[in-house]
Amino acid sequence: MGGNLLYENNSYLPPRHGKDVARVRSQQEYEELYNFALADNDTFWERRARSLLHWSRPWEKVNNSDFSVPRVEWFRGARLNAAYNCVDRHIITDHRNKAALIWQGEREMEVRAYTYQMLYNDVCRVAAALDGLGIRKGDRVALYLPMIPELVIAMLACARLGAVHTNIFTGYAEGGVKNRINDSGARIVITADVVMRGGKPKPLKANLDRILGQCPSVQKVIVVNRSDDSVQMMRGRDVWWQDFLEDFTLDADFPCVPMDANDPLFLLHTSGSTGRPTGVLHSTGGYLTYAAHTTQWVFDLKDSDVYWCTADCGWITGHTYLVYGPLALGATTIMFEGTPTWPRPDRYWRIVEKFRVNILYTAPTVVRGMMRDGEEWTRRYDLSSLRILGSVGEPMNPEAWVWYHTHIGKGELPIVDTWWQTETGGVMISPLPYATSLRPGSVTRPLPGIDADIVDRNGQPKPVNEGGNLVVRNSWPGQFIGVFQNEEKFKSYFDRFPGMYFSGDGARRDEDGNYWILGRMDDNINVSGHRLSTSEIESVLAAHPAVAEPAVVPVPHELKGEAIYVFVALKNGIDWTEALRSELRDFVRKNIGALASPEVIQFVDDLPKTLSGKTVRRILRKIAAGDDLESLGDTTTLARPEILGEIYLARNRLALGQPEKQAD
Ligand code: WTA
């Protein structure tokens, strides 16, 4: 290795070692690509699409998008199949026997590896079985599965048939699962008996059994046997996955269904600004091009690399950077079922050493957790195979950046802090590891082809170092093509600033053109990199019989980045008890999932409101964070400013572990 990264002008310079063989080799090459993509956008993307993917029919037009409609349309008229690109085309090359997917189970000795040929065999068989169950192009299939290879196989089997998979994170419980299934209208759900958590099986199929009576679209449930747990199988509705794979009458070479470039590849729900989750739709051609393109450039992915993205496939990062990007490139991708800390806080480093991982892509919350557990855990392992580190999901604070760089990167490795969203399909603003000078805490520069900007409320560009709204002026192939059955919601992303896509994030740009993400401008909360909507949590709480009115705000949290702080006014005559507090917490967990579990629930007599009756969350945010009473800003527009003092004192009592109200 080449020694520590040089530090100049508050920046870490890119590593010299490996530069000559990098995909993008220097700042100058980045600038050239950036300028070329700006000047001749269609040619730039056309070249990338042609060199990265196999198309069975060429396009008539590269970019037919128009934000004023809005319409996002790439590679019109072209045809391809995502499973063909991720699997089939590799088995006719010398990649046939390469490890495509290496799965590390929660237990150390549970490892399964699939070569491209083996992946092909299982994907074909499952596609044939789904076809036998009547699944056709355009049908939705919900995947409520743990991080096991069957999840990847199911995604690719859907892609093979042109069915639209809609993955549901296993951290969601009944209510969250029900909403997502019903919004998608899935005909089939694929699940498992259990999901493994900290060495113990937690029921998954049983969660479904409780809600399927309220999911009229679901006709069949396919159950993967993960742990021989006993489950109830409903005759005529539920079938075992394993029975599919043993059915030798199924077509072992089930053909790929040719897809239009703009047919949807998948649907993935993210948090919207309403109580209802937003069903983000991604295309087949544009999305897959962008997934492959960004995986190759941002991670400088080479054929010989072992690449590990730690995200769950229930989130967009797992879709793009565990499955579609790496497999489209014929790479070796690692999938880990467990968590960083079970059975000990060394799990990631064990895996890096065991498989000689070259590229590691994880989240700031994971890094902060490791900082807390101490670097001793990292020293016991040989991490010298690592070449590039990545981060995604929330702002990476400079302390965490430096720790990651020092203790994992040994002072030598670049960190690509990648900014993007479910809606963008892939990375938008990020360093290129061998070309970009790094500033801890900054996501640096937009990738070539991405015309980002920071604008004020009137859509005018903001001066250097002033915070504003992060927008993108031109479409890119990975951009979402719609919101499932909700045209209005899709429009709302383009309404705020005409001619631009608004990300919902705030950002500023420094004097060298580096972007610094300031967080969400809307009512999304980012807990451990998981995007949640405050209004979704509020609407659940409002449905509880004891609750008159809830207000949910983010509060800074050392490990999670942000945590959920709930203020609740109860109905008349209902007592503020600890029993009710834990009941409300359980109510949220049951109706959305453990990931939405409130950090603090504070009872209040009344919520602060404006004269027009709007709850003032801006002030509640500050109170929750423990800011001084004097710093709450303008309170003159409040109907009853005098209540703030008591809410504030009660907050401090709670923080000290005392009840809100002092005993009389
Ligand atoms: C935040 C995850 C700072 C941001 C891929 C965005 C980040 C939201 C970063 C999207 C980063 C993501 N630095 N903030 N590197 N990456 N975010 O849809 O607020 O789950 O809008 O997609 O996460 O979350 P989503």
Side-chain angles (χ1 to χ4, degrees):
M1 283 285 148
N4 286 359
L5 294 188
L6 283 177
Y7 189 70
E8 266 173 27
N9 290 334
N10 304 324
S11 304
Y12 293 88
L13 302 190
R16 283 155 300 173
H17 184 84
K19 216 177 170 74
D20 298 342
V21 289
R23 301 278 179 191
V24 180
R25 289 173 296 239
S26 63
Q27 181 72 27
Q28 189 193 339
E29 193 174 352
Y30 160 80
E31 306 278 355
E32 282 164 15
L33 288 163
Y34 186 85
N35 291 332
F36 173 65
L38 208 57
D40 195 351
N41 199 255
D42 279 7
T43 308
F44 175 81
W45 287 119
E46 180 158 53
R47 284 186 188 162
R48 291 303 283 156
R50 196 171 286 143
S51 73
L52 289 164
L53 299 184
H54 175 275
W55 303 81
S56 57
R57 202 168 81 185
W59 44 86
E60 298 146 12
K61 190 159 184 196
V62 180
N63 179 5
N64 193 38
S65 307
D66 181 349
F67 286 178
S68 67
V69 178
R71 178 180 65 233
V72 174
E73 193 185 16
W74 282 83
F75 309 118
R76 194 177 69 190
R79 283 217 179 128
L80 77 166
N81 181 284
Y84 184 88
N85 274 281
C86 290
V87 186
D88 298 42
R89 65 173 170 150
H90 305 309
I91 66 171
I92 50 176
T93 71
D94 56 9
H95 285 60
R96 183 163 73 93
N97 292 320
K98 179 176 176 178
L101 180 68
I102 298 177
W103 177 74
Q104 171 67 62
E106 223 196 18
R107 286 171 197 281
E108 186 67 29
M109 297 313 288
E110 286 179 318
V111 174
R112 272 152 72 188
Y114 288 79
T115 63
Y116 275 97
Q117 179 70 56
M118 292 162 79
L119 200 55
Y120 172 85
N121 297 344
D122 281 19
V123 169
C124 281
R125 179 134 311 159
V126 174
L130 289 173
D131 178 75
L133 293 175
I135 289 295
R136 297 289 174 268
K137 179 176 161 177
D139 287 345
R140 274 83 61 207
V141 174
L143 307 180
Y144 183 46
L145 280 165
M147 285 289 282
I148 52 178
E150 286 81 357
L151 175 49
V152 177
I153 292 163
M155 289 166 76
L156 294 167
C158 288
R160 197 168 192 87
L161 290 175
V164 177
H165 58 74
T166 170
N167 294 11
I168 304 176
F169 180 52
T170 51
Y172 285 110
E174 294 153 41
V177 180
K178 187 179 76 184
N179 285 342
R180 284 160 178 78
I181 291 178
N182 285 340
D183 185 67
S184 70
R187 293 182 53 197
I188 289 192
V189 185
I190 306 183
T191 189
D193 51 351
V194 295
V195 51
M196 300 304 294
R197 291 255 161 78
K200 292 191 196 72
K202 296 267 185 262
L204 213 52
K205 167 71 162 59
N207 292 348
L208 269 184
D209 289 338
R210 283 193 294 273
I211 56 162
L212 281 183
Q214 301 156 59
C215 299
S217 62
V218 177
Q219 296 157 353
K220 291 271 177 209
V221 178
I222 299 166
V223 187
V224 177
N225 178 6
R226 167 69 188 95
S227 187
D228 289 331
D229 228 59
S230 69
V231 290
Q232 287 187 350
M233 298 291 278
M234 192 203 268
R235 194 192 295 248
R237 187 192 72 185
D238 302 349
V239 282
W240 287 104
W241 169 282
Q242 275 76 6
D243 292 345
F244 276 3
L245 293 182
E246 277 166 26
D247 181 351
F248 290 107
T249 63
L250 293 175
D251 187 350
D253 288 298
F254 192 84
C256 290
V257 174
M259 301 293 286
D260 187 276
N262 288 288
D263 284 334
L265 177 59
F266 64 84
L267 167 61
L268 180 62
H269 289 93
T270 188
S271 297
S273 43
T274 58
R276 195 176 142 198
T278 305
V280 170
L281 272 173
H282 277 291
S283 70
T284 305
Y287 170 83
L288 198 64
T289 300
Y290 202 68
H293 160 70
T294 50
T295 307
Q296 191 183 58
W297 281 15
V298 174
F299 301 107
D300 190 56
L301 192 66
K302 306 275 173 43
D303 232 10
S304 53
D305 282 320
V306 174
Y307 163 91
W308 182 20
C309 166
T310 69
D312 192 288
C313 292
W315 306 106
I316 189 69
T317 308
H319 285 68
T320 308
Y321 296 110
L322 196 154
V323 181
Y324 286 111
L327 295 179
L329 295 171
T332 297
T333 185
I334 291 194
M335 179 183 215
F336 176 42
E337 184 186 36
T339 59
T341 51
W342 192 85
R344 299 191 314 183
D346 61 352
R347 210 52 209 287
Y348 277 20
W349 317 125
R350 217 172 238 286
I351 294 172
V352 167
E353 182 182 89
K354 184 172 181 179
F355 299 111
R356 303 288 188 267
V357 173
N358 303 109
I359 301 165
L360 174 68
Y361 190 31
T362 191
T365 183
V366 170
V367 175
R368 288 195 296 266
M370 290 171 177
M371 278 173 84
R372 181 198 52 187
D373 294 324
E375 63 254 24
E376 304 82 79
W377 296 106
T378 70
R379 291 211 200 97
R380 304 181 186 188
Y381 298 92
D382 178 2
L383 306 182
S384 63
S385 56
L386 288 171
R387 182 164 77 83
I388 293 166
L389 305 176
S391 171
V392 61
E394 53 178 317
M396 180 164 236
N397 47 312
E399 301 73 34
W401 197 103
V402 170
W403 189 91
Y404 195 24
H405 175 67
T406 309
H407 297 291
I408 309 306
K410 311 295 178 194
E412 294 181 351
L413 305 188
I415 299 176
V416 289
D417 182 355
T418 60
W419 177 83
W420 60 293
Q421 312 178 290
T422 306
E423 294 88 339
T424 71
V427 174
M428 301 287 282
I429 308 183
S430 160
L432 295 175
Y434 294 92
T436 311
S437 298
L438 306 171
R439 288 215 174 137
S442 167
V443 293
T444 74
R445 308 276 291 272
L447 297 183
I450 303 304
D451 194 4
D453 205 351
I454 296 168
V455 299
D456 66 17
R457 61 169 64 167
N458 301 314
Q460 296 305 310
K462 275 277 194 181
V464 162
N465 274 325
E466 279 187 25
N469 303 286
L470 178 54
V471 297
V472 187
R473 294 181 182 279
N474 207 348
S475 187
W476 62 95
Q479 188 171 26
F480 67 144
I481 53 170
V483 174
F484 189 63
Q485 291 180 343
N486 193 345
E487 186 62 28
E488 283 313 301
K489 178 70 206 181
F490 186 54
K491 282 195 176 132
S492 72
Y493 289 88
F494 304 90
D495 273 357
R496 180 71 189 77
F497 303 106
M500 305 175 210
Y501 162 76
F502 177 38
S503 67
D505 276 359
R508 72 179 168 86
R509 197 167 34 210
D510 67 20
E511 48 290 342
D512 298 313
N514 292 306
Y515 283 69
W516 300 75
I517 305 298
L518 303 173
R520 303 287 308 186
M521 311 282 270
D522 55 17
D523 62 358
N524 279 203
I525 291 193
N526 195 327
V527 181
S528 300
H530 298 156
R531 202 169 132 189
L532 297 164
S533 130
T534 53
S535 43
E536 189 177 358
I537 303 168
E538 282 174 7
S539 55
V540 164
L541 281 164
H544 189 280
V547 172
E549 210 179 4
V552 175
V553 296
V555 60
H557 187 280
E558 209 181 325
L559 286 182
K560 301 175 183 171
E562 286 181 342
I564 295 163
Y565 198 109
V566 180
F567 294 91
V568 213
L570 296 178
K571 289 191 177 142
N572 281 342
I574 294 188
D575 291 334
W576 296 8
T577 62
E578 291 312 308
L580 180 56
R581 209 191 305 275
S582 47
E583 186 180 320
L584 291 177
R585 186 169 282 125
D586 287 346
F587 193 67
V588 174
R589 292 170 74 100
K590 182 161 179 272
N591 280 287
I592 303 181
L595 73 170
S597 187
E599 195 73 16
V600 180
I601 297 178
Q602 176 176 348
F603 296 122
V604 294
D605 288 316
D606 266 316
L607 294 170
K609 302 240 163 121
T610 60
L611 291 166
S612 57
K614 273 185 78 158
T615 303
V616 194
R617 289 184 179 74
R618 170 179 60 82
I619 289 180
L620 289 174
R621 271 171 101 128
K622 293 195 152 201
I623 293 182
D627 289 1
D628 288 345
L629 205 47
E630 291 75 51
S631 73
L632 297 185
D634 184 13
T635 57
T636 54
T637 57
L638 295 194
R640 293 177 56 209
E642 70 278 6
I643 67 172
L644 292 179
E646 184 45 38
I647 298 177
Y648 179 77
L649 290 175
R651 180 261 167 214
N652 290 346
R653 281 185 218 117
L654 261 189
L656 295 170
Q658 300 159 1
E660 289 92 338
K661 278 190 179 154
Q662 276 169 323
D664 299 322

